[in-house]
Amino acid sequence: MQIHRLPALSDNYIFLLHDPIRHIAAVVDPAEANPVLQQLQTLQADLVAIFNTHHHGDHVGGNATLLKHFPNAIVHGGVEDRGRIPGQKVFLQAGDRVTFGDRVAEVLFVPGHTRAHIAYYFPPVETNEGDLFCGDTLFAGGCGRLFEGTPTQMIDSLGKLRSLPDQTRVWCAHEYTLKNLQFALSVDPQNQALQRRFAQVQAMRQQSEATIPSWLGEEKQTNPFLRWDQPNLQSRVKSADPVQTFARLRGMKDQF
Ligand code: ZN
Ligand code: FE
């Protein structure tokens, strides 16, 4: 399975999964149709599936047009998103599996950004590297805003993602990394792994390079929204409670 990262809208990424042997493709969170249609044309691949993580317009905006061109493509989304995702045919819940070519992804229920949000995790096969498509739940250096969920839900969802192996590529849906790391450094200034990462990301963004995917292992070391149990972050927000630590960090980021 090859993964193509397609920039869309102002700061979204669409991920196109390609199986060159079967000449098929699937797409994760098509914000818009045109970049996907162009890439499918280049690859000469047939779109067989759309995998949506949640119902927001910058994740499902391309569904209808893609279905016009590829009426057999099957739209997947969370069961709680019933009625909110254009063309949805498959209603997924935690533990379900979806297939693409010879690959199987596990569905994780990760509410918080929205109440219905899911993620797709492809465990490693030939290499020891897995792939996680997490929409707007976990970002490189940050996490999604809590539009429909509580801090308790979000910490539980991020905890599920944090329990995956370090050698997992994090394919999140937005290029927010630099801004996220600026916030991260403001709350975790002594973190040397974070300082190094910030310098790398700054250099990459100066060259307009994409910072996605990141490695989950790196997120665990540098992303404050996976580090609610770190004493230095807890004392920074004056709490010893993980949920409260997370909630306060999220509140500070909202104002940042
Ligand atoms: Zn969203
Ligand atoms: Fe989004």
Side-chain angles (χ1 to χ4, degrees), residues 145 178-187 236 249-256:
R145 278 175 191 262
L178 185 61
K179 190 104 201 287
N180 284 339
L181 293 181
Q182 279 164 352
F183 172 74
L185 266 182
S186 77
V187 292
R236 177 85 171 94
L249 287 170
R250 187 58 257 181
M252 289 164 75
K253 177 66 169 66
D254 288 344
Q255 308 297 322
F256 188 70

Side-chain angles (χ1 to χ4, degrees), residues 53-59 113-114 117 135-137 139 147 174:
T53 62
H54 66 295
H55 75 292
H56 284 160
D58 60 317
H59 298 253
H113 176 66
T114 69
H117 203 301
D136 289 353
T137 297
F139 290 129
F147 286 118
H174 289 274

Side-chain angles (χ1 to χ4, degrees), residues 153-174:
Q153 274 180 328
M154 192 61 154
I155 204 174
D156 184 55
S157 295
L158 290 168
K160 290 176 197 166
L161 303 184
R162 192 174 75 164
S163 72
L164 298 173
D166 287 0
Q167 296 279 89
T168 302
R169 289 185 204 83
V170 178
W171 301 91
C172 63
H174 289 274

Side-chain angles (χ1 to χ4, degrees), residues 129-141:
E129 295 160 0
D131 293 289
L132 171 68
F133 297 93
C134 51
D136 289 353
T137 297
L138 175 65
F139 290 129

Side-chain angles (χ1 to χ4, degrees), residues 57-253:
D58 60 317
H59 298 253
V60 305
N63 281 22
T65 304
L66 290 173
L67 282 173
K68 277 193 194 121
H69 288 80
F70 296 93
N72 296 324
I74 296 170
V75 179
H76 300 67
V79 64
E80 309 278 335
D81 260 334
R82 188 180 288 275
R84 305 204 294 185
I85 293 180
Q88 185 174 2
K89 285 277 158 47
V90 178
F91 300 87
L92 298 165
Q93 44 193 324
D96 282 350
R97 285 179 158 70
V98 296
T99 58
F100 171 67
D102 61 353
R103 297 294 303 274
V104 179
E106 187 182 324
V107 174
L108 306 167
F109 182 48
V110 288
H113 176 66
T114 69
R115 60 182 169 78
H117 203 301
I118 59 172
Y120 301 89
Y121 171 59
F122 288 86
V125 275
E126 275 141 29
T127 64
N128 56 0
E129 295 160 0
D131 293 289
L132 171 68
F133 297 93
C134 51
D136 289 353
T137 297
L138 175 65
F139 290 129
C143 76
R145 278 175 191 262
L146 303 184
F147 286 118
E148 297 179 352
T150 64
T152 305
Q153 274 180 328
M154 192 61 154
I155 204 174
D156 184 55
S157 295
L158 290 168
K160 290 176 197 166
L161 303 184
R162 192 174 75 164
S163 72
L164 298 173
D166 287 0
Q167 296 279 89
T168 302
R169 289 185 204 83
V170 178
W171 301 91
C172 63
H174 289 274
E175 181 62 64
Y176 289 160
T177 317
L178 185 61
K179 190 104 201 287
N180 284 339
L181 293 181
Q182 279 164 352
F183 172 74
L185 266 182
S186 77
V187 292
D188 197 8
Q190 308 301 327
N191 182 333
Q192 292 188 2
L194 174 57
Q195 293 166 5
R196 282 194 299 274
R197 185 179 187 192
F198 180 72
Q200 283 164 2
V201 163
Q202 218 174 16
M204 288 171 85
R205 293 308 295 154
Q206 272 161 12
Q207 307 294 321
S208 301
E209 280 175 49
T211 63
I212 309 303
S214 62
W215 289 106
L216 188 58
E218 184 176 42
E219 297 301 335
K220 293 177 195 178
Q221 286 180 23
T222 58
N223 187 330
F225 296 103
L226 296 181
R227 294 166 63 76
W228 52 79
D229 35 23
Q230 289 291 315
N232 63 321
L233 282 175
Q234 293 186 345
S235 66
R236 177 85 171 94
V237 300
K238 301 184 175 58
S239 171
D241 174 63
V243 174
Q244 199 170 55
T245 299
F246 175 84
R248 287 183 182 172
L249 287 170
R250 187 58 257 181
M252 289 164 75
K253 177 66 169 66

